[in-house]
């Protein structure tokens, strides 16, 4: 597995608020870049298309209240992955947040998709801050 880690950022919200927002895939669409189309979601799962790349789907995985949520890939996909949202309460109104994408990429796919996936996790964490604050 190859890991792509976002920058750690501080969100001016309580960890409970961050956890609640990220526990519903219906909120997740607001974090997606413009290259994402055909978004469909429920509370527990989502599917979408990345223009020019692939159709992907995720389902809610393990949740540790107020500190971590894992989303797992599902369905027919070009590679398996999990997306981990880590958040740590700094105080009652600030939460340090980092996103880690673990992807099972072959060497060719890693070379082609490595930079876009790194950019993706950084974009997600920054959009989360922008959207939730």
């Amino acid at each position: 597995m190859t890991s792509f880690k976002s920058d750690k950022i501080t969100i001016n919200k309580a960890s409970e608020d961050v956890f609640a927002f990220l526990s519903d895939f219906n909120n997740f669409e607001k974090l997606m870049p413009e290259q994402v189309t055909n978004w469909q979601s429920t509370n527990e799962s989502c599917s979408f298309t990345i223009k020019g790349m692939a159709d992907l789907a995720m389902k809610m995985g393990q949740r540790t209240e107020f500190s971590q949520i894992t989303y797992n890939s599902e369905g027919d996909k070009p590679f398996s992955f999990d997306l981990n949202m880590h958040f740590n309460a700094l105080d009652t109104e600030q939460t340090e947040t980092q996103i880690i994408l673990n992807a099972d990429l072959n060497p060719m796919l890693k070379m082609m998709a490595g930079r876009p996936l790194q950019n993706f996790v950084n974009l997600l964490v920054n959009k989360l801050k922008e959207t939730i604050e």
Side-chain angles (χ1 to χ4, degrees), residues 22-76:
L22 293 173
S23 291
D24 184 349
F25 269 120
N26 293 314
N27 293 327
F28 219 78
E29 183 178 15
K30 300 168 189 161
L31 308 180
M32 291 291 118
E34 62 186 33
Q35 296 89 340
V36 169
T37 60
N38 301 324
W39 179 268
Q40 296 181 355
S41 62
T42 66
N43 286 358
E44 294 289 319
S45 66
C46 70
S47 64
F48 54 94
T49 302
I50 300 175
K51 283 185 199 172
M53 288 184 66
D55 294 326
L56 297 173
M58 293 187 294
K59 64 181 178 181
M60 198 66 67
Q62 181 180 349
R63 287 180 258 201
T64 304
E65 227 173 51
F66 315 134
S67 65
Q68 181 179 345
I69 299 175
T70 299
Y71 310 108
N72 300 308
S73 61
E74 72 172 351
D76 194 20

Side-chain angles (χ1 to χ4, degrees), residues 86-121:
H86 297 270
F87 29 100
N88 179 40
L90 299 175
D91 60 36
T92 58
E93 289 300 317
Q94 286 194 316
T95 304
E96 182 181 67
T97 306
Q98 183 177 38
I99 298 173
I100 301 172
L101 173 68
N102 297 306
D104 190 14
L105 303 174
N106 65 43
M108 179 70 112
L109 200 50
K110 183 178 177 181
M111 189 174 71
M112 291 173 30
R115 175 174 255 155
L117 290 173
Q118 182 62 56
N119 291 340
F120 176 69
V121 294

Side-chain angles (χ1 to χ4, degrees), residues 1-9 82-86 97-103 105 110 113-126:
M1 285 274 194
T2 303
S3 292
F4 301 93
K5 297 180 180 183
S6 74
D7 299 328
K8 288 184 180 180
I9 63 160
D82 57 68
L83 188 63
N84 298 285
M85 307 296 204
H86 297 270
T97 306
Q98 183 177 38
I99 298 173
I100 301 172
L101 173 68
N102 297 306
L105 303 174
K110 183 178 177 181
R115 175 174 255 155
L117 290 173
Q118 182 62 56
N119 291 340
F120 176 69
V121 294
N122 282 324
L123 177 112
L124 273 182
V125 78
N126 287 312

